[in-house]
Amino acid sequence: MVVAVDAMGGDNAPEVEVEGAVAAARRWGIPIVLVGDQSRLEGILSWHDTTGLDIAVRHAGEIVGMHDSPSDAVRKKKDSSIRVGFDLLRRGDVHAVVSAGNSGATMALGMFLLKRIPGIDRPAIATILPNKKSQTVVLDGGANVDCKPFHLAQFGTMGAVYAKFMLGKDHPRVGVLSNGEEESKGNELAREAHKLLKQSRLNYIGFVEGRDIFAGDVDVVVCDGFVGNVVLKVSEGLSEAIGDMLSAEIKRRFFAKLGFLLARPAFRAFKKKVDYAEYGGAPLLGIQGTGMICHGGSNARAIMNAIHMARESVSQRINDRLIAQLGLEASETCEGIIENGAC
């Protein structure tokens, strides 16, 4: 099972992509194709011991920058590393693509080259966040800032399938993010999505609040991409701020330093749980192929784990299971969850 890595995407490319790919190939034996400037990638690969590792390089002469528009990535940069990666996937030369580059361009190229899964209007970025008990899937994480109610219902279906087969949730609890649990709360988008999801076959539990994401009492939280991206960035900023404030307080007090030495294993475990690098990337659900979108500032560990997540998504046949779930819902309801009111 081969994974293509957009080696030129991200703030720290291509060094961290190469390092992460080498680590994934060594740890799990995953065959990898690094896509990008061939001479540069081969030079960086020479810094590492790749003996016995199945790592190839596929040349791509262009790079999609973080400030490039998705439309330009599709129309103008036809030899970009991310486009070549998806071309390899479309032709069947690889089984998944990982990129820490421009997320909008990654989504646009994934849709353009691979097309959407039938029954899905808008692919979504599924962000995995830690909670007090395990993990919560939040989607959309930023791909669709303007949504209609049936888009959120589709997100619920995609998130439930992913939570069940990738996170081991037998009956994933799905909720709509709102400003209160009462049915009278929420904006028009949330209330209309709530009506649709109540009629679905999902284990829908109603409105949930922001604090519920981390409480562990809901497995899938759906919202539009504007709100979802704010949730993601606030969560990242809060975990970093807590770490920095704790570190400052520990350094300031002698007895706190002694306490830290005793509690060091607990602090390490906490840091690992909230570190985005442990989750690797966010799957782009809804396209006919496996794409993993990483944080732009990903380090090598994040890339390594994203490659592993991509392989596991393919192994668990997430797309096949999603298609089956959509077909089951289509056969039982014509209430707009799949095709905006038309079956």
Side-chain angles (χ1 to χ4, degrees), residues 5-14 16-17 35 63-64 66 81-82 99-102 295-296 298 303:
V5 177
D6 168 18
M8 311 308 291
D11 300 337
N12 305 305
V16 298
E17 278 78 4
V35 185
I63 300 172
V64 175
M66 290 298 192
S81 52
I82 183 58
S99 176
N102 185 316
H295 193 292
S298 290
I303 298 297

Side-chain angles (χ1 to χ4, degrees), residues 29-321:
I30 302 173
I32 295 167
V33 177
L34 292 167
V35 185
D37 184 320
Q38 185 168 3
S39 61
R40 190 175 176 189
L41 294 178
E42 289 177 346
I44 297 172
L45 270 173
S46 69
W47 305 348
H48 301 271
D49 179 10
T50 58
T51 305
L53 304 183
D54 190 353
I55 301 177
V57 174
R58 172 67 160 78
H59 181 71
E62 295 179 296
I63 300 172
V64 175
M66 290 298 192
H67 298 292
D68 288 338
S69 71
S71 60
D72 283 347
V74 172
R75 293 186 291 106
K76 296 180 180 180
K77 296 193 173 182
K78 298 187 177 181
D79 192 36
S80 69
S81 52
I82 183 58
R83 179 168 186 144
V84 171
F86 275 122
D87 266 329
L88 292 172
L89 179 55
R90 180 174 57 87
R91 295 200 302 264
D93 296 332
V94 302
H95 302 90
V97 176
V98 171
S99 176
N102 185 316
S103 58
T106 301
M107 177 177 170
L109 284 164
M111 289 178 61
F112 178 73
L113 293 173
L114 303 177
K115 311 305 179 185
R116 294 167 296 183
I117 288 175
I120 295 296
D121 260 73
R122 301 265 188 95
I125 298 172
T127 303
I128 314 301
L129 294 177
N131 63 45
K132 291 192 291 186
K133 299 175 183 177
S134 56
Q135 298 95 28
T136 304
V137 183
V138 179
L139 66 170
D140 180 27
N144 307 283
V145 295
D146 296 306
C147 293
K148 295 181 179 179
F150 70 95
H151 294 144
L152 267 60
Q154 292 175 0
F155 298 167
T157 296
M158 292 192 289
V161 169
Y162 194 83
K164 180 175 182 178
F165 294 103
M166 287 296 290
L167 303 183
K169 313 280 189 178
D170 287 337
H171 302 287
R173 296 157 297 181
V174 179
V176 171
L177 188 60
S178 185
N179 62 333
E181 296 180 355
E182 302 85 358
E183 291 202 358
S184 60
K185 294 293 182 71
N187 56 17
E188 183 179 358
L189 173 64
R191 290 194 296 270
E192 292 302 315
H194 171 69
K195 293 177 184 177
L196 292 176
L197 283 162
K198 283 203 300 184
Q199 301 167 10
S200 74
R201 299 185 76 257
L202 302 176
N203 182 17
Y204 179 62
I205 62 173
F207 286 150
V208 296
E209 300 178 72
R211 62 188 176 187
D212 297 321
I213 294 172
F214 304 99
D217 297 323
V218 60
D219 302 307
V220 179
V221 175
V222 299
C223 55
D224 64 68
F226 180 88
V227 172
N229 194 257
V230 171
V231 168
L232 172 61
K233 297 299 171 58
V234 168
S235 302
E236 290 175 355
L238 180 61
S239 68
E240 291 176 5
I242 290 173
D244 291 344
M245 288 187 285
L246 279 173
S247 179
E249 290 299 320
I250 289 169
K251 292 176 181 177
R252 192 175 300 164
R253 295 174 172 83
F254 174 73
F255 287 107
K257 292 179 182 178
L258 293 179
F260 172 74
L261 292 176
L262 295 173
R264 182 177 290 178
F267 279 107
R268 285 177 175 168
F270 173 76
K271 183 179 179 180
K272 184 175 182 179
K273 188 169 185 178
V274 301
D275 186 0
Y276 74 87
E278 294 298 320
Y279 300 91
L284 178 58
L285 301 179
I287 60 172
Q288 295 190 54
T290 300
M292 199 67 61
I293 296 178
C294 302
H295 193 292
S298 290
N299 56 25
R301 184 169 183 79
I303 298 297
M304 177 190 74
N305 285 325
I307 292 170
H308 182 249
M309 282 181 65
R311 186 186 72 168
E312 290 303 298
S313 292
V314 176
S315 297
Q316 291 296 327
R317 300 186 295 112
I318 295 299
N319 279 352
D320 290 342
R321 298 181 191 278

